[in-house]
Amino acid sequence: MAEPLQKDVFIVSQDVLDIAWCYDQVRLPCCGAISSFVGTVRTPNMGKDVSYLEYEGYEAMILRQMEHVACELHHDLELGKILFAHRLGRLYPEEASIAIFIASPHRADGLAAVARAIDALKARLPIWKLEVGADGSRWVEGSAAAGTPL
Amino acid sequence: MELNVKLFAQYRDLLGAESATWSGAEGSTVKDIALGLEHQHPQLSLKGALAAINNEYAKPSDALKAGDELAFFPPVAGG
């Protein structure tokens, strides 16, 4: 198990995600790779034009679940530093909703960590999105994989 | 014990508020409390909801103690 070299960074914010700032947070001299994923609002979705998404989240639990995912990644892979950031509030097409930046000594573990991270975060972060278009709004169907539904 | 139960997204919309107060016996389960809230608020149906206790996913059979933070929410859709 590799211990994180520096404290990881977890962010939930209503503000625009500053991707260059996210990158800077994980730079380390001992790491030869920074791997990343940025998720953005897409239109159309399911064949319908999207005007914007309203993201709602349970902030304290989001941060706790981000910590769990990072801990698991550090346990399984050789990583230097991890940043997870998720934006809430109203987001328009092309705007970034989630950013993952992971520094690692070598690229293979970093790339694997990013792929695992986005799947785990989508399944576990308590976030919901209301999709708003010209013909009204609807809650986007979510995943119950992380819990036990009533 | 008395709990302030958080509700999110569709459940908040159904209730018309971000939280609800529940009173009952210590050791009541997530399922007990969900049924109690549905009884108190007939417009609220928590069938299919996920639950969390103190920011961790919880099972319907998990028991609560005074001071716990309980939340009910729909399947999650981050990213």
Side-chain angles (χ1 to χ4, degrees), chain A residues 8-82:
Chain A
D8 294 330
V9 180
F10 308 117
I11 295 164
V12 185
S13 174
Q14 301 272 339
D15 299 330
V16 171
L17 296 181
D18 183 337
I19 301 303
W21 182 89
C22 292
Y23 173 91
D24 280 341
Q25 302 315 300
V26 301
R27 287 190 297 118
L28 289 173
C30 63
C31 287
I34 294 178
S35 307
S36 65
F37 172 82
V38 177
T40 58
V41 175
R42 175 186 63 235
T43 186
N45 185 38
M46 310 282 280
K48 292 189 173 179
D49 287 341
V50 176
S51 301
Y52 59 86
L53 295 178
E54 289 281 356
Y55 282 81
E56 174 181 342
Y58 181 10
E59 295 197 25
M61 185 171 172
I62 292 169
L63 294 169
R64 176 73 61 82
Q65 299 302 316
M66 285 177 169
E67 284 178 33
H68 288 326
V69 172
C71 185
E72 291 163 17
L73 294 173
H74 280 297
H75 182 273
D76 294 344
L77 298 163
E78 187 180 5
L79 305 174
K81 190 173 180 183
I82 294 173

Side-chain angles (χ1 to χ4, degrees), chain B residues 31-76:
Chain B
K31 180 76 174 172
D32 294 333
I33 295 168
L35 291 172
L37 288 178
E38 287 175 336
H39 184 72
Q40 286 174 42
H41 305 279
Q43 77 276 28
L44 182 66
S45 170
L46 292 168
K47 184 174 171 53
L50 301 179
I53 301 173
N54 301 331
N55 300 320
E56 304 289 359
Y57 282 97
K59 297 191 290 294
S61 59
D62 286 346
L64 285 99
K65 59 185 187 306
D68 282 341
E69 180 172 293
L70 175 63
F72 290 111
F73 49 78
V76 301

Side-chain angles (χ1 to χ4, degrees), chain B residues 2-45:
Chain B
E2 185 170 292
L3 295 175
N4 187 41
V5 183
K6 291 177 181 285
L7 294 158
F8 291 93
Q10 295 95 315
Y11 302 127
R12 183 210 49 236
D13 289 350
L14 285 171
L15 185 71
E18 294 179 349
S19 64
T21 302
W22 174 92
S23 299
E26 181 140 345
S28 294
T29 65
V30 168
K31 180 76 174 172
D32 294 333
I33 295 168
L35 291 172
L37 288 178
E38 287 175 336
H39 184 72
Q40 286 174 42
H41 305 279
Q43 77 276 28
L44 182 66
S45 170

